[in-house]
Amino acid sequence: MTKHIELPQQSEAVKVIIRCRPMNQKEKTRGCQKCVQILSSENSVIVKKPDNVNSGEAASKQYTFDAVFDEDSIQQDVYEKAARGIVDSVIEGYNGTVFAYGQTGSGKTFSMEGSPNLPGLIPNAFKHIFEAIQKSFAEEASCLVQASMLEIYNEEVRDLLGKNPRQKLDLKEDPEKGVYVKDLSSYVVKSVEEIEKVMNKGKSNREVGATDMNQDSSRSHCVFIVKVETKQKSQLDNEEHIRVGTLNMVDLAGSERSKKTGATGIRAKEGININRSLSALGQVIYALVSPDKNRHIPYRNSKLTRLLQGSLGGNAKTVMLAAFSPADYNYDETMSTLRYATACKKIKNKPRVNQDPKDTMLQLMQDEIDKLKKQLDAQEKVATGEISSGEDHANKLRKLLEQNDLEKEKIRMELEQKSQKEKEALMKRQEKIDEERRHVEEELKKQESVLEKSKREEEELRMKMKQIQNQVMHGGVNLIEATTQQQARLDRLQTEMTEKKQQEEQLEKLLEQQEEERLDLEQNYASKQEEVQQKTKKIKKLWTRYQSAKNEVQDIEYEFQKEREDYLYTIRHLERDLKLKMKIVEHFIPQHMLGKIRGMCQWNEADDTWIVRNRELCGNYVRGGAGAGGEGYDYEDDSEEEYGTNADEMHFSDAQGHVYFSYNDQY
């Protein structure tokens, strides 16, 4: 079982960072106006309604967050506010999540990944992790860093680093691990360069596509996972402990409206699935901040929310980076993003240090190293005895060969002096000596082969042990230098000061909120005039709050109407596509065969797909698979044990180009 550090259990709110991108060329060409104002000093955003942007009495709404960044912000500043604290916590053994949310084309991927010259949150986190390992741990500490990358495309979880990036993976839940992806590949990395190669490999397999809103639109939710395992002695009990921190860097696909993106066909299907998963995310967020403590949290409504279950209301420190456009053309999407972000601020997590979990890679490697050492020690003992006895045996064999050579020379000399009969006897004796020599040489070769094999096995064990040891990093060698120690202390103090400042700000906001909510009607007043003044003040506060709530309801109703119109637009297009497919069925498939075709199809509730039996017999597959399935369909293989496969059961003909199906009525 995973052990957690025994500290007072404290909840921690999700931290929300806001970033506004510059207006792009399309927005400038369209003549868009800015409808947002960023107040960095107050950590606030003011949004003005587009119809009143140039009016002196412009209707506006103000939101306050943990940090805000305008279009002139730089990547490093965003990282310092958004992710540095999370990465420090991961190295200490906490789980941490940073996820980017916003409409399509709002700059989420740029903020997360950046460019070669302007690295985003993910590359900066890589650099931070490996620098911290060198600075923060002593030489005897062991560290192991693993990297994984996945995407959720059309509600399918895919391993972007696997041999087949299009293969679907399953989500599993374990009391120890929580929600995890079964069979997700993982790479051990030892430097920034290695982990960047892993990320670039995964990026090359991610689904992207062009829409009217974004030329390189992400068509899937992408998650880059970094697991940091550390092993070192504790000052409390002087025993070695392993801590495991997991960092999830989540680049969500952007919410989109079909009217703006112009998506059709497969892009429209992708957009529908993206919006559905983001809608499920919104339901989870609003359920978590609901006053009803017994309200069901719908984590299972999508793969995305299941994967983020631990990050929203669970064991993790979480940061939401909300990105949006400043253009009035995107006013509705900007308001929706800011409402999500405001609700997300109220989510409370309960992060804790993960100490001594079972089945850590670091512990498995250490066990393997210990096992190899024992094998090596045992083999060395055996090999020492074998080598010693083998060398003695080889020396004896060499002496026998020398004696054999002397004996042969002696026989040769005697042959020169003996008669014919004696020569024949000596020749037989020489043949016998030659035979003995051959046996001795063969025995010597066998002995040398055994010795060589023993040395080779020993070398292989040493190489295997070295490879495992090389995957484990150790603390920096310069910890003894006072400057490095001082820098590490300063970094920790800076982090503590930042956290204390945030806590003070939260306490001030809480006191103000409590002060506003106090409506003590039984208060004693010195005079009627004072009573009138105080009650008038309270009525004004209540009226202001009422008007704010009323405006919020109107905004939500307006947004709901917009979403309803967008859904109706999507439904109309789907109905049009459905009518086309029904026409194709009506004109190309015999009516008496429709029942048989339906009997061959089965709906899979888990994956929302149709399963077609014996699909290898369908016309497109018979013709070599060109266009098999068609756009928008997802066919799955079925087990032969359940349905059987018999090529004689159906027959397809290509005799004429317009004939797509022909059937054997005996089927």
Side-chain angles (χ1 to χ4, degrees):
M1 293 292 292
T2 304
K3 297 179 182 178
H4 304 290
I5 300 300
E6 295 298 329
L7 294 175
Q9 188 68 34
Q10 295 182 349
S11 61
E12 180 178 302
V14 172
K15 187 177 178 182
V16 179
I17 310 294
I18 301 297
R19 190 179 194 186
C20 177
R21 67 159 172 80
M23 280 206 290
N24 57 35
Q25 191 58 44
K26 283 186 178 181
E27 292 166 342
K28 292 177 181 177
T29 303
R30 191 179 279 115
C32 297
Q33 300 292 321
K34 288 183 64 175
C35 69
V36 298
Q37 181 183 359
I38 305 296
L39 304 177
S40 300
S41 59
E42 300 178 15
N43 290 331
S44 296
V45 180
I46 298 176
V47 186
K48 300 178 181 179
K49 290 185 178 180
D51 296 336
N52 303 317
V53 167
N54 298 319
S55 171
E57 299 178 357
S60 63
K61 196 165 186 65
Q62 185 169 350
Y63 298 90
T64 303
F65 300 97
D66 295 287
V68 297
F69 293 93
D70 58 21
E71 53 264 39
D72 297 323
S73 61
I74 60 176
Q75 297 279 64
Q76 188 61 39
D77 289 345
V78 177
Y79 176 78
E80 293 296 327
K81 283 283 188 181
R84 173 168 285 277
I86 292 287
V87 175
D88 284 333
S89 298
V90 168
I91 295 170
E92 293 172 3
Y94 289 93
N95 295 332
T97 298
V98 179
F99 69 95
Y101 178 88
Q103 77 171 116
T104 182
S106 59
K108 301 181 299 299
T109 300
F110 176 75
S111 295
M112 295 299 288
E113 298 178 2
S115 64
N117 297 326
L118 297 170
L121 299 184
I122 297 177
N124 278 316
F126 297 162
K127 183 180 178 183
H128 184 177
I129 287 171
F130 288 101
E131 285 182 352
I133 288 174
Q134 290 297 318
K135 289 181 180 180
S136 304
F137 295 100
E139 292 182 55
E140 62 273 10
S142 301
C143 302
L144 185 74
V145 181
Q146 302 172 74
S148 303
M149 194 172 184
L150 63 89
E151 72 173 354
I152 302 175
Y153 175 73
N154 285 342
E155 284 299 292
E156 293 181 0
V157 180
R158 297 176 174 181
D159 184 358
L160 294 178
L161 303 177
K163 293 181 180 179
N164 181 8
R166 298 294 179 265
Q167 182 180 355
K168 292 192 298 184
L169 300 181
D170 295 327
L171 287 178
K172 300 292 183 181
E173 192 164 1
D174 181 83
E176 179 73 20
K177 299 180 182 179
V179 178
Y180 68 97
V181 181
K182 184 182 178 183
D183 299 326
L184 181 66
S185 59
S186 178
Y187 287 80
V188 175
V189 290
K190 296 180 290 182
S191 66
V192 175
E193 292 75 18
E194 288 185 9
I195 198 170
E196 284 181 344
K197 286 181 180 178
V198 171
M199 183 181 72
N200 291 333
K201 178 184 176 183
K203 283 171 60 178
S204 66
N205 293 324
R206 188 181 179 186
E207 293 285 351
V208 295
T211 68
D212 291 348
M213 293 288 290
N214 189 359
Q215 186 63 30
D216 298 309
S217 175
S218 301
R219 312 310 295 166
S220 66
H221 308 301
C222 182
V223 185
F224 195 94
I225 305 169
V226 183
K227 184 179 288 186
V228 182
E229 298 181 8
T230 58
K231 182 179 181 180
Q232 61 179 346
K233 280 189 176 182
S234 171
Q235 296 180 353
L236 298 176
D237 55 12
N238 201 31
E239 292 184 2
E240 284 190 336
H241 294 284
I242 294 178
R243 292 185 177 185
V244 180
T246 302
L247 175 65
N248 298 303
M249 307 294 281
V250 186
D251 180 18
L252 298 176
S255 59
E256 54 186 53
R257 288 178 174 165
S258 301
K259 290 182 180 179
K260 288 188 174 182
T261 61
T264 58
I266 192 67
R267 293 286 171 261
K269 179 184 176 183
E270 292 168 347
I272 291 170
N273 281 299
I274 289 169
N275 287 339
R276 185 168 66 174
S277 62
L278 292 176
S279 177
L281 177 62
Q283 292 171 9
V284 168
I285 291 173
Y286 286 119
L288 286 168
V289 300
S290 170
D292 184 3
K293 300 301 180 183
N294 297 321
R295 183 173 178 177
H296 170 67
I297 312 299
Y299 289 115
R300 291 183 174 272
N301 283 6
S302 77
K303 300 287 178 63
L304 175 64
T305 50
R306 282 205 70 196
L307 204 59
L308 293 179
Q309 183 170 338
S311 304
L312 298 172
N315 172 27
K317 292 173 179 267
T318 302
V319 170
M320 175 189 187
L321 175 66
F324 60 89
S325 162
D328 55 1
Y329 176 69
N330 297 312
Y331 170 78
D332 295 330
E333 289 82 358
T334 296
M335 289 297 293
S336 177
T337 298
L338 294 176
R339 286 195 195 94
Y340 268 85
T342 301
C344 204
K345 278 183 5 178
K346 302 174 185 177
I347 297 176
K348 300 292 185 181
N349 290 351
K350 294 182 179 180
R352 55 189 182 273
V353 175
N354 303 306
Q355 181 165 292
D356 294 332
K358 62 181 181 180
D359 299 333
T360 63
M361 182 64 75
L362 198 59
Q363 188 60 51
L364 292 174
M365 284 186 170
Q366 186 60 52
D367 293 342
E368 183 67 16
I369 289 172
D370 293 341
K371 180 181 175 182
L372 290 173
K373 282 182 177 179
K374 290 179 180 179
Q375 290 181 2
L376 194 57
D377 291 341
Q379 187 149 339
E380 282 179 349
K381 291 178 181 179
V382 174
T384 302
E386 288 181 350
I387 291 171
S388 177
S389 61
E391 287 180 351
D392 292 342
H393 188 49
N395 290 332
K396 290 179 181 179
L397 293 173
R398 292 188 185 98
K399 288 181 180 180
L400 285 174
L401 289 175
E402 290 176 2
Q403 292 175 2
N404 191 288
D405 290 338
L406 292 173
E407 187 70 19
K408 285 179 67 177
E409 182 62 25
K410 183 178 178 181
I411 291 172
R412 187 185 63 77
M413 293 177 64
E414 289 180 357
L415 280 171
E416 295 176 356
Q417 302 173 1
K418 299 294 183 180
S419 62
Q420 183 64 31
K421 187 176 181 179
E422 292 173 334
K423 285 181 179 181
E424 290 177 359
L426 289 172
M427 287 295 289
K428 289 181 180 179
R429 183 180 172 189
Q430 185 174 358
E431 289 176 359
K432 185 177 180 181
I433 292 172
D434 289 340
E435 183 67 24
E436 290 177 355
R437 179 184 179 85
R438 281 194 297 272
H439 285 302
V440 171
E441 287 177 343
E442 290 175 0
E443 185 69 21
L444 183 60
K445 286 181 180 179
K446 289 180 181 179
Q447 192 66 33
E448 289 175 347
S449 175
V450 169
L451 294 175
E452 184 65 27
K453 182 180 178 182
S454 178
K455 290 179 180 178
R456 190 167 58 251
E457 289 176 351
E458 181 180 340
E459 187 63 26
E460 287 175 356
L461 284 174
R462 291 184 185 278
M463 288 295 294
K464 187 176 180 181
M465 188 168 66
K466 187 176 180 180
Q467 287 176 355
I468 296 175
Q469 289 173 333
N470 286 340
Q471 291 181 334
V472 180
M473 295 178 293
H474 297 277
V477 296
N478 297 322
L479 284 177
I480 57 173
E481 297 180 9
T483 54
T484 305
Q485 291 181 343
Q486 185 68 18
Q487 184 62 42
R489 283 196 293 269
L490 287 173
D491 290 343
R492 286 195 295 271
L493 288 173
Q494 184 66 33
T495 303
E496 290 174 1
M497 288 176 63
T498 303
E499 290 178 351
K500 286 181 179 179
K501 185 177 179 181
Q502 291 175 352
Q503 290 175 357
E504 290 174 359
E505 291 175 354
Q506 290 177 355
L507 286 173
E508 288 177 2
K509 291 177 183 177
L510 184 62
L511 288 173
E512 290 176 3
Q513 183 179 356
Q514 290 176 345
E515 184 65 27
E516 289 178 359
E517 292 177 352
R518 282 186 56 210
L519 297 172
D520 189 1
L521 299 178
E522 298 181 359
Q523 183 178 351
N524 295 322
Y525 303 102
S527 64
K528 291 290 184 181
Q529 184 178 359
E530 181 185 353
E531 182 179 359
V532 170
Q533 290 176 349
Q534 292 294 328
K535 289 187 176 180
T536 302
K537 184 178 178 181
K538 291 176 183 178
I539 290 172
K540 286 181 178 179
K541 285 184 179 181
L542 287 172
W543 178 254
T544 302
R545 289 166 59 186
Y546 167 73
Q547 290 295 329
S548 177
K550 184 178 178 181
N551 291 335
E552 185 70 21
V553 169
Q554 291 175 349
D555 289 340
I556 292 173
E557 288 177 348
Y558 174 76
E559 183 181 351
F560 173 77
Q561 182 62 26
K562 280 285 187 180
E563 290 182 353
R564 183 175 179 274
E565 291 174 0
D566 192 58
Y567 283 134
L568 289 174
Y569 176 84
T570 302
I571 289 169
R572 283 193 293 270
H573 277 70
L574 290 174
E575 285 179 345
R576 187 181 66 181
D577 291 342
L578 180 60
K579 288 178 181 179
L580 172 62
K581 290 176 172 59
M582 292 304 295
K583 277 291 181 186
I584 293 172
V585 170
E586 179 182 348
H587 289 289
F588 288 91
I589 300 179
Q591 289 294 321
H592 68 282
M593 295 304 300
L594 283 177
K596 292 185 178 182
I597 293 174
R598 289 194 183 99
M600 294 176 62
C601 302
Q602 183 179 359
W603 178 251
N604 187 332
E605 290 285 352
D607 295 333
D608 287 345
T609 57
W610 281 102
I611 297 174
V612 180
R613 288 183 277 168
N614 302 325
R615 71 173 186 178
E616 68 279 0
L617 301 177
C618 296
N620 283 334
Y621 281 88
V622 172
R623 286 189 291 271
E631 188 177 90
Y633 286 87
D634 189 0
Y635 296 110
E636 297 293 334
D637 284 318
D638 289 310
S639 64
E640 296 180 2
E641 291 78 11
E642 184 175 357
Y643 299 114
T645 302
N646 187 350
D648 294 328
E649 292 176 340
M650 292 189 67
H651 172 69
F652 295 86
S653 173
D654 264 335
Q656 296 177 345
H658 66 278
V659 177
Y660 289 86
F661 300 95
S662 62
Y663 301 89
N664 185 342
D665 286 336
Q666 300 300 318
Y667 175 65

